[in-house]
Amino acid sequence: MIEVDDLPELVDPIIIAAFEGWNDAGEAASSVVDHLAQVWDAQPVAAVDPEDYYDFQVNRPRVGVVDGIRRITWPTTRVLHAAGAIAGRDVLLIQGIEPSTRWRSFVVEFIALADEVDASMMLCLGALLADVPHTRPLPVGTYCDDAHLAHTLDLEPSTYEGPSGIVGVLADAAHQSEIPTVSCWVSVPHYAGGAPSPKAALALLDQVEELLQLTLDHGDLEDLAKAWERGVDELAASDEEVAEYVEALEQATDTAEHPEASGDAIAREFERYLRRRDEPEA
């Protein structure tokens, strides 16, 4: 169960959630919540009992030294409180790791907390690997199944069908509990998704700012994003097949941005790339 410390009465709170793991390509979503916690000086107020939800052979505890004393830190999911972070409104940040088991019980605990504090909105953040070029702005899809909030924010419901991670399960549970919920997903180039992607984190953070109508200190994220892009440039330059693939993605992306673009046009770009790749060398 969630162990809550002394949580004060909150003012029109918003909940923002992200989880490490399957929902967190390039560590983009968890990086945004980490950044918000730093910018807002958010303080921990609650945590789930890790015995209930984590396989410690998958997410192992860590040994470290705190104030000169060796301690074990257990993998878990925490709730942090950012007092008056958005125009006087409080924010609760859910920051943790996708659980190993008992997902339904896990989300029930957070929905109960949201009901207890009378949360006015839940914002779920995720990142996925996709066929997008690292040289272009990374797309962020923003979705909402609540009709009133979707109309207010000019959003559409998600049309995704397929396997879900804990972010999707939490968003669905919140919607079923009539908590207005928005989900934001940033696309991370799959050929560069093995390392942290500050460019994806920055794109997701920009979308959070737009949704919540606020301006935040980006810290060193912009410099890190440029450095990341240069690093992937070097990777592509060293591998002819990767370079050709990135070029095909760029052409498809640029085509899609024109009004006359169509799904058929984008498909033709990829077909040309595949033919070039399969042609025998002269």
Side-chain angles (χ1 to χ4, degrees):
M1 60 180 296
I2 294 182
E3 301 169 359
V4 181
D5 293 334
D6 186 19
L7 185 63
E9 185 175 348
L10 304 183
V11 178
D12 196 16
I14 293 173
I15 296 176
I16 303 176
F19 297 88
E20 300 172 21
W22 194 71
N23 311 268
D24 194 29
E27 300 178 13
S30 60
S31 293
V32 169
V33 170
D34 290 346
H35 185 79
L36 294 175
Q38 293 177 10
V39 169
W40 288 333
D41 190 27
Q43 300 300 311
V45 293
V48 299
D49 185 343
E51 289 281 348
D52 293 339
Y53 302 111
Y54 293 99
D55 180 344
F56 298 138
Q57 290 183 322
V58 176
N59 297 291
R60 291 185 178 274
R62 299 181 63 86
V63 179
V65 178
V66 180
D67 297 329
I69 302 174
R70 293 179 64 81
R71 296 185 182 279
I72 296 286
T73 301
W74 296 92
T76 189
T77 294
R78 295 178 173 83
V79 180
L80 295 86
H81 174 219
I86 303 176
R89 300 172 69 182
D90 288 315
V91 176
L92 292 181
L93 301 172
I94 298 177
Q95 177 189 56
I97 306 166
E98 184 174 69
S100 306
T101 187
R102 302 181 64 229
W103 283 21
R104 288 182 292 182
S105 298
F106 182 85
V107 299
V108 163
E109 294 207 35
F110 287 101
I111 296 304
L113 177 63
D115 286 336
E116 181 182 343
V117 301
D118 196 20
S120 58
M121 175 181 168
M122 183 175 290
L123 176 57
C124 295
L125 306 180
L128 70 156
L129 297 176
D131 292 321
V132 295
H134 72 281
T135 53
R136 300 294 188 265
L138 299 182
V140 179
T142 305
Y143 312 102
C144 181
D145 290 323
D146 179 86
H148 176 72
L149 186 59
H151 177 75
T152 301
L153 298 177
D154 193 23
L155 299 176
E156 297 290 335
S158 173
T159 58
Y160 170 77
E161 295 182 0
S164 180
I166 196 63
V167 170
V169 174
L170 178 62
D172 179 72
H175 175 66
Q176 297 298 329
S177 298
E178 300 184 349
I179 299 171
T181 304
V182 175
S183 297
C184 295
W185 287 83
V186 63
S187 295
V188 179
H190 70 85
Y191 57 87
S197 176
K199 182 171 181 176
L202 184 60
L204 194 55
L205 182 62
D206 285 342
Q207 184 61 35
V208 170
E209 289 182 289
E210 182 177 338
L211 275 172
L212 302 180
Q213 298 183 345
L214 53 94
T215 301
L216 297 169
D217 180 1
H218 289 176
D220 59 358
L221 263 180
E222 293 177 5
D223 290 337
L224 291 173
K226 292 175 183 177
W228 175 85
E229 189 167 335
R230 288 194 298 269
V232 183
D233 283 342
E234 294 172 3
L235 168 68
S238 67
D239 188 316
E240 183 177 349
E241 186 171 341
V242 172
E244 290 181 357
Y245 181 63
V246 171
E247 182 181 357
L249 290 175
E250 290 173 337
Q251 292 173 354
T253 299
D254 295 343
T255 300
E257 291 176 352
H258 290 85
E260 66 273 15
S262 68
D264 290 340
I266 295 172
R268 284 195 297 271
E269 292 289 348
F270 276 105
E271 288 171 2
R272 279 196 288 270
Y273 159 71
L274 292 172
R275 284 197 299 271
R276 289 199 308 270
R277 188 185 67 174
D278 295 336
E279 287 174 356
E281 295 183 2

